[in-house]
Amino acid sequence: MLGNISVHPFSCIWLKAKMTPVTRQEVLGLYRKIFRIAKKWQSASGQIEETIKEKQYIISEAKTLFRKNKNVTDPKLIKQCVEECEARIEIGLHYNIPYPRPIHLPPMGLASKQGRAFRHQEKLRKFSKPIYLKSHDDIS
């Protein structure tokens, strides 16, 4: 039983907070949606082993992120996690790939390992990361 705990799936969170009923319903709906997607998932290759592996990944990713964010209370962070979840669902369904799509961030080659230029490059890399990968690096 989830009781006072809310869920944000295939991307994000368990939310133990004073949430509005709409937010709680949205989060729980996303969580259920992820498990329905996993249940019906077919790999692009059509191979049974690959399909089973991808279904397991979807479920484990949802559970991992769900548990990781169980204490999130900030409404802005909750909204960000919901948006990340929706983005990952849409991208996964569109490309028929459950894994996060790779991105190509600029290398840190020209800046020294300390100082203003390095901090500026780190900041640019952080802001250039797409929303669907915000939680991916935290758990990998």
Side-chain angles (χ1 to χ4, degrees):
M1 182 171 145
L2 293 175
N4 189 10
I5 299 172
S6 303
V7 176
H8 178 122
F10 187 47
S11 182
C12 243
I13 56 187
W14 257 39
L15 306 170
K16 186 189 278 185
K18 296 175 183 169
M19 294 175 29
T20 65
V22 174
T23 306
R24 179 174 164 70
Q25 289 175 351
E26 179 182 11
V27 170
L28 290 170
L30 284 170
Y31 188 72
R32 286 188 297 268
K33 183 176 182 177
I34 287 178
F35 283 93
R36 283 192 302 267
I37 289 170
K39 187 176 182 178
K40 297 176 185 177
W41 187 264
Q42 290 292 318
S43 71
S45 67
Q47 296 178 347
I48 294 172
E49 300 85 22
E50 190 72 24
T51 298
I52 292 169
K53 182 178 170 185
E54 289 178 3
K55 283 181 179 187
Q56 290 172 343
Y57 171 78
I58 292 169
I59 291 168
S60 70
E61 180 82 353
K63 286 180 179 181
T64 301
L65 291 167
F66 174 83
R67 289 182 181 120
K68 173 187 161 261
N69 295 306
K70 68 181 178 181
N71 295 318
V72 173
T73 58
D74 180 25
K76 289 181 182 179
L77 187 55
I78 292 169
K79 184 176 186 240
Q80 178 185 350
C81 289
V82 168
E83 289 172 356
E84 179 184 353
C85 177
E86 291 170 343
R88 287 186 68 179
I89 288 171
E90 291 302 316
I91 290 170
L93 292 173
H94 178 78
Y95 292 103
N96 200 29
I97 300 172
Y99 311 106
R101 292 183 47 79
I103 58 167
H104 303 289
L105 295 175
M108 303 285 277
L110 298 178
S112 62
K113 296 294 180 194
Q114 50 185 284
R116 181 187 249 175
F118 180 72
R119 287 191 304 271
H120 180 68
Q121 278 192 346
E122 281 185 325
K123 189 175 185 180
L124 287 175
R125 289 174 62 86
K126 180 181 176 186
F127 288 126
S128 66
K129 185 182 282 189
I131 190 168
Y132 61 87
L133 286 178
K134 294 291 183 192
S135 65
H136 182 36
D137 290 340
D138 295 341
I139 62 168
S140 358

